[in-house]
Amino acid sequence: MSWDDLVGTQWLEGGRTVEEGLDCYGVVLLGLERLGFPMLDVWSSWKGHYENGWREFDQAVPDGWAWHGVDEILVPLIGDVIVTRDRGVPKHLGLRVMDKHGRMKVLTAVEAWGVLLVGDSLGTRHLEGIVRRLDA
C-alpha cells in the first residue's frame, strides 16, 4: 500500500483531513481506516490526557483496542498504534504500516514537518507502549 498521498500533508492540531491538515492522531485514524481497522475518534477525551502528558493514556483507549505497556513483549504488527515519549512524557502517536516496497515503517505527523513515513525504529528508545486491536 502506498502512503505517498499523505506524506507532506501539513500538521494541524486536531486535524482530520488531508485538505486541512493532520496531527499525529489524525494520521493514525486515517491510516487505520485505510487498513480496514477503523478506530473511534476520541480526541475530545484524549485531549486532556495529551495536555497532561497522557499519564493515564491506557484509560483513554477506545473499545475494541488494548493498551500494552513497554513491559509487555509484542511482535510488531501492521496497524499497531505506537505511543512515544517526548522529553520523558508520553505525547506522540504513530501507526505501524507497510510501505510500497514491503518494509515496515511508521506513519506519523509532527508539527515541524507534517506527515512523515519513517523507519520502524521510531520511538524504540522513547516507546511508552502500543495500542493494538483486540482481534489482532
PDB file of all heavy atoms in Angstrom, residues 2 4 14 18-19 29 31 37 47 57 62 66 68 76 82 95 98 100 102 115 121 123-124 136:
ATOM      1  N   SER A   2       0.528   2.224  -0.753  1.00  0.00           N
ATOM      2  CA  SER A   2       1.287   3.465  -0.809  1.00  0.00           C
ATOM      3  C   SER A   2       0.653   4.513   0.106  1.00  0.00           C
ATOM      4  O   SER A   2      -0.563   4.656   0.170  1.00  0.00           O
ATOM      5  CB  SER A   2       1.318   3.997  -2.240  1.00  0.00           C
ATOM      6  OG  SER A   2       1.956   5.247  -2.265  1.00  0.00           O
ATOM      7  N   ASP A   4       2.051   7.638  -0.104  1.00  0.00           N
ATOM      8  CA  ASP A   4       2.632   8.837  -0.703  1.00  0.00           C
ATOM      9  C   ASP A   4       1.684  10.031  -0.705  1.00  0.00           C
ATOM     10  O   ASP A   4       2.126  11.176  -0.585  1.00  0.00           O
ATOM     11  CB  ASP A   4       3.095   8.560  -2.136  1.00  0.00           C
ATOM     12  CG  ASP A   4       4.248   7.573  -2.195  1.00  0.00           C
ATOM     13  OD1 ASP A   4       4.877   7.320  -1.151  1.00  0.00           O
ATOM     14  OD2 ASP A   4       4.521   7.057  -3.291  1.00  0.00           O
ATOM     15  N   GLY A  14      -5.549  18.700  15.974  1.00  0.00           N
ATOM     16  CA  GLY A  14      -6.938  18.274  15.841  1.00  0.00           C
ATOM     17  C   GLY A  14      -7.335  18.010  14.396  1.00  0.00           C
ATOM     18  O   GLY A  14      -8.490  17.694  14.131  1.00  0.00           O
ATOM     19  N   VAL A  18      -6.788  15.479   4.907  1.00  0.00           N
ATOM     20  CA  VAL A  18      -5.595  15.828   4.147  1.00  0.00           C
ATOM     21  C   VAL A  18      -5.686  17.280   3.679  1.00  0.00           C
ATOM     22  O   VAL A  18      -4.694  18.010   3.666  1.00  0.00           O
ATOM     23  CB  VAL A  18      -5.421  14.867   2.947  1.00  0.00           C
ATOM     24  CG1 VAL A  18      -4.291  15.305   2.042  1.00  0.00           C
ATOM     25  CG2 VAL A  18      -5.197  13.445   3.444  1.00  0.00           C
ATOM     26  N   GLU A  19      -6.881  17.704   3.325  1.00  0.00           N
ATOM     27  CA  GLU A  19      -7.070  19.065   2.817  1.00  0.00           C
ATOM     28  C   GLU A  19      -6.766  20.128   3.880  1.00  0.00           C
ATOM     29  O   GLU A  19      -6.142  21.146   3.579  1.00  0.00           O
ATOM     30  CB  GLU A  19      -8.501  19.258   2.299  1.00  0.00           C
ATOM     31  CG  GLU A  19      -8.848  18.391   1.098  1.00  0.00           C
ATOM     32  CD  GLU A  19      -9.117  16.925   1.468  1.00  0.00           C
ATOM     33  OE1 GLU A  19      -9.523  16.640   2.614  1.00  0.00           O
ATOM     34  OE2 GLU A  19      -8.893  16.053   0.596  1.00  0.00           O
ATOM     35  N   LEU A  29      -5.713   7.753  12.681  1.00  0.00           N
ATOM     36  CA  LEU A  29      -7.109   7.414  12.360  1.00  0.00           C
ATOM     37  C   LEU A  29      -7.296   7.161  10.869  1.00  0.00           C
ATOM     38  O   LEU A  29      -7.938   6.182  10.473  1.00  0.00           O
ATOM     39  CB  LEU A  29      -8.043   8.536  12.811  1.00  0.00           C
ATOM     40  CG  LEU A  29      -8.201   8.737  14.309  1.00  0.00           C
ATOM     41  CD1 LEU A  29      -8.985  10.006  14.580  1.00  0.00           C
ATOM     42  CD2 LEU A  29      -8.843   7.541  14.960  1.00  0.00           C
ATOM     43  N   GLY A  31      -4.980   6.372   8.630  1.00  0.00           N
ATOM     44  CA  GLY A  31      -4.245   5.166   8.254  1.00  0.00           C
ATOM     45  C   GLY A  31      -4.969   3.894   8.662  1.00  0.00           C
ATOM     46  O   GLY A  31      -5.057   2.935   7.889  1.00  0.00           O
ATOM     47  N   PHE A  37      -9.232  -1.038   9.656  1.00  0.00           N
ATOM     48  CA  PHE A  37      -9.347  -1.157  11.112  1.00  0.00           C
ATOM     49  C   PHE A  37      -9.770   0.178  11.710  1.00  0.00           C
ATOM     50  O   PHE A  37      -9.013   0.807  12.447  1.00  0.00           O
ATOM     51  CB  PHE A  37      -8.022  -1.572  11.754  1.00  0.00           C
ATOM     52  CG  PHE A  37      -7.336  -2.728  11.111  1.00  0.00           C
ATOM     53  CD1 PHE A  37      -6.016  -2.634  10.723  1.00  0.00           C
ATOM     54  CD2 PHE A  37      -8.002  -3.914  10.892  1.00  0.00           C
ATOM     55  CE1 PHE A  37      -5.360  -3.704  10.142  1.00  0.00           C
ATOM     56  CE2 PHE A  37      -7.362  -4.990  10.308  1.00  0.00           C
ATOM     57  CZ  PHE A  37      -6.039  -4.889   9.928  1.00  0.00           C
ATOM     58  N   LYS A  47      -7.739  14.635  24.633  1.00  0.00           N
ATOM     59  CA  LYS A  47      -7.099  15.940  24.677  1.00  0.00           C
ATOM     60  C   LYS A  47      -6.597  16.274  26.082  1.00  0.00           C
ATOM     61  O   LYS A  47      -5.483  16.742  26.252  1.00  0.00           O
ATOM     62  CB  LYS A  47      -8.055  17.019  24.173  1.00  0.00           C
ATOM     63  CG  LYS A  47      -7.392  18.365  24.000  1.00  0.00           C
ATOM     64  CD  LYS A  47      -8.324  19.308  23.270  1.00  0.00           C
ATOM     65  CE  LYS A  47      -7.896  20.720  23.267  1.00  0.00           C
ATOM     66  NZ  LYS A  47      -6.783  21.197  22.688  1.00  0.00           N
ATOM     67  N   PHE A  57      -2.927   7.306  29.832  1.00  0.00           N
ATOM     68  CA  PHE A  57      -3.275   7.030  28.442  1.00  0.00           C
ATOM     69  C   PHE A  57      -4.052   5.731  28.292  1.00  0.00           C
ATOM     70  O   PHE A  57      -4.996   5.648  27.517  1.00  0.00           O
ATOM     71  CB  PHE A  57      -2.004   6.963  27.592  1.00  0.00           C
ATOM     72  CG  PHE A  57      -2.280   6.707  26.142  1.00  0.00           C
ATOM     73  CD1 PHE A  57      -2.596   7.764  25.296  1.00  0.00           C
ATOM     74  CD2 PHE A  57      -2.242   5.426  25.622  1.00  0.00           C
ATOM     75  CE1 PHE A  57      -2.867   7.539  23.969  1.00  0.00           C
ATOM     76  CE2 PHE A  57      -2.510   5.198  24.295  1.00  0.00           C
ATOM     77  CZ  PHE A  57      -2.828   6.259  23.463  1.00  0.00           C
ATOM     78  N   PRO A  62      -9.965   3.382  23.100  1.00  0.00           N
ATOM     79  CA  PRO A  62     -11.351   3.055  22.719  1.00  0.00           C
ATOM     80  C   PRO A  62     -11.670   1.568  22.867  1.00  0.00           C
ATOM     81  O   PRO A  62     -10.771   0.725  22.853  1.00  0.00           O
ATOM     82  CB  PRO A  62     -11.423   3.469  21.248  1.00  0.00           C
ATOM     83  CG  PRO A  62     -10.215   4.280  20.974  1.00  0.00           C
ATOM     84  CD  PRO A  62      -9.191   3.902  21.989  1.00  0.00           C
ATOM     85  N   ALA A  66      -6.616  -2.500  22.923  1.00  0.00           N
ATOM     86  CA  ALA A  66      -5.999  -2.757  24.224  1.00  0.00           C
ATOM     87  C   ALA A  66      -4.649  -2.061  24.317  1.00  0.00           C
ATOM     88  O   ALA A  66      -3.910  -1.967  23.338  1.00  0.00           O
ATOM     89  CB  ALA A  66      -5.819  -4.256  24.443  1.00  0.00           C
ATOM     90  N   HIS A  68      -0.846  -1.898  25.652  1.00  0.00           N
ATOM     91  CA  HIS A  68       0.265  -2.783  26.013  1.00  0.00           C
ATOM     92  C   HIS A  68       1.451  -1.904  26.369  1.00  0.00           C
ATOM     93  O   HIS A  68       2.003  -1.221  25.508  1.00  0.00           O
ATOM     94  CB  HIS A  68       0.638  -3.709  24.852  1.00  0.00           C
ATOM     95  CG  HIS A  68      -0.492  -4.580  24.402  1.00  0.00           C
ATOM     96  ND1 HIS A  68      -0.828  -5.747  25.039  1.00  0.00           N
ATOM     97  CD2 HIS A  68      -1.383  -4.428  23.399  1.00  0.00           C
ATOM     98  CE1 HIS A  68      -1.869  -6.292  24.427  1.00  0.00           C
ATOM     99  NE2 HIS A  68      -2.227  -5.503  23.435  1.00  0.00           N
ATOM    100  N   PRO A  76       5.931  -6.813  16.481  1.00  0.00           N
ATOM    101  CA  PRO A  76       5.316  -5.700  15.761  1.00  0.00           C
ATOM    102  C   PRO A  76       4.316  -6.181  14.710  1.00  0.00           C
ATOM    103  O   PRO A  76       4.590  -7.124  13.973  1.00  0.00           O
ATOM    104  CB  PRO A  76       6.497  -5.002  15.082  1.00  0.00           C
ATOM    105  CG  PRO A  76       7.708  -5.494  15.779  1.00  0.00           C
ATOM    106  CD  PRO A  76       7.375  -6.847  16.316  1.00  0.00           C
ATOM    107  N   ILE A  82       1.590   3.249  17.906  1.00  0.00           N
ATOM    108  CA  ILE A  82       2.769   3.390  18.746  1.00  0.00           C
ATOM    109  C   ILE A  82       2.656   4.685  19.539  1.00  0.00           C
ATOM    110  O   ILE A  82       2.362   5.742  18.979  1.00  0.00           O
ATOM    111  CB  ILE A  82       4.033   3.417  17.873  1.00  0.00           C
ATOM    112  CG1 ILE A  82       4.135   2.111  17.087  1.00  0.00           C
ATOM    113  CG2 ILE A  82       5.277   3.660  18.709  1.00  0.00           C
ATOM    114  CD1 ILE A  82       5.121   2.167  15.960  1.00  0.00           C
ATOM    115  N   LEU A  95       1.660   5.145  13.469  1.00  0.00           N
ATOM    116  CA  LEU A  95       0.970   3.923  13.039  1.00  0.00           C
ATOM    117  C   LEU A  95       1.943   3.043  12.284  1.00  0.00           C
ATOM    118  O   LEU A  95       2.588   3.485  11.332  1.00  0.00           O
ATOM    119  CB  LEU A  95      -0.211   4.282  12.135  1.00  0.00           C
ATOM    120  CG  LEU A  95      -0.996   3.108  11.566  1.00  0.00           C
ATOM    121  CD1 LEU A  95      -1.693   2.322  12.678  1.00  0.00           C
ATOM    122  CD2 LEU A  95      -2.007   3.602  10.541  1.00  0.00           C
ATOM    123  N   MET A  98       3.055  -0.926   6.315  1.00  0.00           N
ATOM    124  CA  MET A  98       3.982  -1.494   5.350  1.00  0.00           C
ATOM    125  C   MET A  98       4.064  -0.511   4.188  1.00  0.00           C
ATOM    126  O   MET A  98       3.039  -0.055   3.690  1.00  0.00           O
ATOM    127  CB  MET A  98       3.463  -2.848   4.861  1.00  0.00           C
ATOM    128  CG  MET A  98       4.481  -3.663   4.108  1.00  0.00           C
ATOM    129  SD  MET A  98       5.739  -4.387   5.180  1.00  0.00           S
ATOM    130  CE  MET A  98       4.814  -5.611   6.073  1.00  0.00           C
ATOM    131  N   LYS A 100       5.292   0.702   0.195  1.00  0.00           N
ATOM    132  CA  LYS A 100       5.059   0.079  -1.113  1.00  0.00           C
ATOM    133  C   LYS A 100       6.161  -0.895  -1.504  1.00  0.00           C
ATOM    134  O   LYS A 100       6.011  -1.667  -2.439  1.00  0.00           O
ATOM    135  CB  LYS A 100       4.886   1.151  -2.186  1.00  0.00           C
ATOM    136  CG  LYS A 100       6.058   2.070  -2.363  1.00  0.00           C
ATOM    137  CD  LYS A 100       5.721   3.175  -3.344  1.00  0.00           C
ATOM    138  CE  LYS A 100       6.837   4.211  -3.394  1.00  0.00           C
ATOM    139  NZ  LYS A 100       6.435   5.353  -4.206  1.00  0.00           N
ATOM    140  N   GLY A 102       7.307  -3.121   0.788  1.00  0.00           N
ATOM    141  CA  GLY A 102       7.175  -4.234   1.719  1.00  0.00           C
ATOM    142  C   GLY A 102       7.968  -4.085   3.003  1.00  0.00           C
ATOM    143  O   GLY A 102       8.178  -5.064   3.714  1.00  0.00           O
ATOM    144  N   VAL A 115       3.152  15.265   7.798  1.00  0.00           N
ATOM    145  CA  VAL A 115       3.067  13.799   7.773  1.00  0.00           C
ATOM    146  C   VAL A 115       4.363  13.211   7.206  1.00  0.00           C
ATOM    147  O   VAL A 115       4.857  13.644   6.166  1.00  0.00           O
ATOM    148  CB  VAL A 115       1.850  13.330   6.951  1.00  0.00           C
ATOM    149  CG1 VAL A 115       1.812  11.798   6.879  1.00  0.00           C
ATOM    150  CG2 VAL A 115       0.558  13.864   7.566  1.00  0.00           C
ATOM    151  N   SER A 121      12.158   2.026  13.477  1.00  0.00           N
ATOM    152  CA  SER A 121      12.842   2.190  14.760  1.00  0.00           C
ATOM    153  C   SER A 121      12.348   3.412  15.518  1.00  0.00           C
ATOM    154  O   SER A 121      12.778   3.655  16.644  1.00  0.00           O
ATOM    155  CB  SER A 121      14.351   2.303  14.545  1.00  0.00           C
ATOM    156  OG  SER A 121      14.638   3.444  13.759  1.00  0.00           O
ATOM    157  N   GLY A 123      10.956   5.662  17.969  1.00  0.00           N
ATOM    158  CA  GLY A 123      10.454   5.514  19.320  1.00  0.00           C
ATOM    159  C   GLY A 123      10.964   4.321  20.098  1.00  0.00           C
ATOM    160  O   GLY A 123      10.536   4.113  21.211  1.00  0.00           O
ATOM    161  N   THR A 124      11.886   3.529  19.546  1.00  0.00           N
ATOM    162  CA  THR A 124      12.327   2.370  20.317  1.00  0.00           C
ATOM    163  C   THR A 124      12.948   2.794  21.640  1.00  0.00           C
ATOM    164  O   THR A 124      12.737   2.152  22.655  1.00  0.00           O
ATOM    165  CB  THR A 124      13.316   1.498  19.519  1.00  0.00           C
ATOM    166  OG1 THR A 124      14.363   2.325  19.014  1.00  0.00           O
ATOM    167  CG2 THR A 124      12.612   0.779  18.396  1.00  0.00           C
ATOM    168  N   ALA A 136      -6.348  -8.740  16.876  1.00  0.00           N
ATOM    169  CA  ALA A 136      -5.094  -8.906  16.126  1.00  0.00           C
ATOM    170  C   ALA A 136      -4.357 -10.155  16.579  1.00  0.00           C
ATOM    171  O   ALA A 136      -4.451 -10.598  17.662  1.00  0.00           O
ATOM    172  CB  ALA A 136      -4.206  -7.681  16.313  1.00  0.00           C
TER     173      ALA A 136
END
